[in-house]
Amino acid sequence: RVLVTRGTFMEALRNAGADIGLAAKLEAGVVRIEESTRSRSVELPASGLADARAELAKAQAVPLKISAPSDYPDRSAELSASKGSKALTALVALYDEGIRANPKSLALLADRAVFYEGIGENAKAIADLGALLKLEPDVDTYLWRARLRPDKDFAEAMVDIAAARALKPTSQEALEQLVALRVRRKEFELASKEIDDAIVLGLDRAVLLPLRASIEEEAGKLDTALATLQSAVDLTAGNAEVLNALCWMKATHKRSLDTALRDCSKAVERWDDPSPALDSRGVVYLQLGRYDDAISDFDAAIKLNPDLGPTFFVRGIAKRRKGDIEAGDSDIATARRMVPGIDQQYAKFGIMP
């Protein structure tokens, strides 16, 4: 089953005197669409002709949209069901065959690494990234491999990040991964020193302040962290991402929820993709007990980005607290498939089903 829409295009055609019909079929993984148009007599005043043409031109730019049914399984559920399937085995065989024929193909090795990561086979993805790095050392590939390494391989991840920074000492992503590793090991002073060193290297202080705030938060210095984030907001003239970080910290710690709403709303207005800020504002509403408002924001965030596993989790909690236990449990199950360990991530904030 598929839903095919063309938005304002069909409305504009009707206004111009034409009725359009869409018929769609899904066969063997291919969507076939038939359009039919029937003209009818419509008189437009000369004064309205330019506007009608402009409306039609604008509508013609609206792309055809194909949507899966609302009850279609999410990607993680689909992946779980396909583990060990003939389809996955056949895909692996195709990658293997291609790489045997072209063992030095950077593109094929990278594609297979993406594939393995996508199906949760991180050890195999790491092996392919190792082969890639032997052929061509690259900052992004080192950081990719570091990100995939399990916690027990901390030393190896640190080596990868060091290699990336040797190639690009000012890499913001490398710094963020390094700080995240140190924070996970509760090496807060070392993590903070990494920020100091980055400032000396010339990295943007406005970008580094939210990172420092995350260290302070994890170290239990919440008031200091909030002050650091407010400084970052002031320094960046209300950057949407920084506003969202401030809103999120207030929301999860139940601090100044009234100003948290203001911060998040500003971020929603200023962000090209406001899904993270919608999620954060939804958590504010959740903490305030305004469950309908929370669900509305979570719905909007998921519509923009269906891969937001944590948003499914908090939406499920909001639905349960509102009394819709079955729908809430369904969302929470989806989140757990998408983000293993999601319960623990939110339990530290006291946000639990």
Side-chain angles (χ1 to χ4, degrees), residues 275-286:
S275 54
L278 286 165
D279 173 88
S280 299
R281 191 171 68 182
V283 173
V284 178
Y285 285 133
L286 179 68

Side-chain angles (χ1 to χ4, degrees), residues 103-138:
K104 294 186 177 182
S105 170
L106 301 178
L108 283 174
L109 285 166
D111 285 349
R112 190 170 68 176
V114 170
F115 171 76
Y116 278 137
E117 182 185 1
I119 63 172
E121 298 280 1
N122 283 2
K124 293 179 179 178
I126 287 170
D128 276 345
L129 295 176
L132 262 176
L133 288 166
K134 285 181 181 178
L135 293 169
E136 185 176 273
D138 174 77

Side-chain angles (χ1 to χ4, degrees), residues 147-277:
R147 178 174 55 79
L148 293 183
R149 292 192 186 278
D151 285 346
K152 67 180 181 65
D153 291 341
F154 168 77
E156 289 84 350
M158 291 291 284
V159 169
D160 281 341
I161 294 172
R165 299 186 84 191
L167 292 173
K168 186 179 179 182
T170 58
S171 168
Q172 175 74 19
E173 185 180 352
L175 175 65
E176 289 174 358
Q177 285 191 224
L178 177 58
V179 166
L181 276 178
R182 294 213 179 278
V183 166
R184 283 210 301 272
R185 292 170 62 87
K186 300 191 182 303
E187 298 174 348
F188 302 123
E189 289 187 10
L190 288 173
S192 187
K193 185 178 182 303
E194 300 291 357
I195 302 294
D196 294 337
D197 293 344
I199 292 173
V200 172
L201 281 173
L203 272 71
D204 188 351
R205 186 168 175 268
V207 175
L208 296 176
L209 283 176
L211 197 54
R212 188 187 292 282
S214 69
I215 299 169
E216 293 163 345
E217 177 190 20
E218 291 293 332
K221 300 175 181 178
L222 183 59
D223 290 335
T224 304
L226 288 169
T228 299
L229 275 179
Q230 186 59 60
S231 296
V233 169
D234 297 340
L235 197 59
T236 60
N239 172 272
E241 192 169 349
V242 180
L243 279 165
N244 179 58
L246 180 58
C247 169
W248 172 255
M249 192 176 290
K250 290 177 180 178
T252 50
H253 293 281
K254 280 191 168 184
R255 287 290 192 93
S256 306
L257 295 180
D258 55 339
T259 61
L261 276 180
R262 181 195 64 201
D263 296 333
C264 263
S265 295
K266 287 181 180 177
V268 169
E269 294 166 3
R270 298 175 187 183
W271 219 334
D272 290 339
D273 174 11
S275 54

Side-chain angles (χ1 to χ4, degrees), residues 303-322:
K303 186 175 181 180
L304 288 169
N305 186 351
D307 293 327
L308 289 174
T311 308
F312 281 96
F313 187 74
V314 284
R315 187 176 72 173
I317 292 173
K319 287 178 178 178
R320 282 182 59 88
R321 291 183 184 177
K322 192 184 172 189

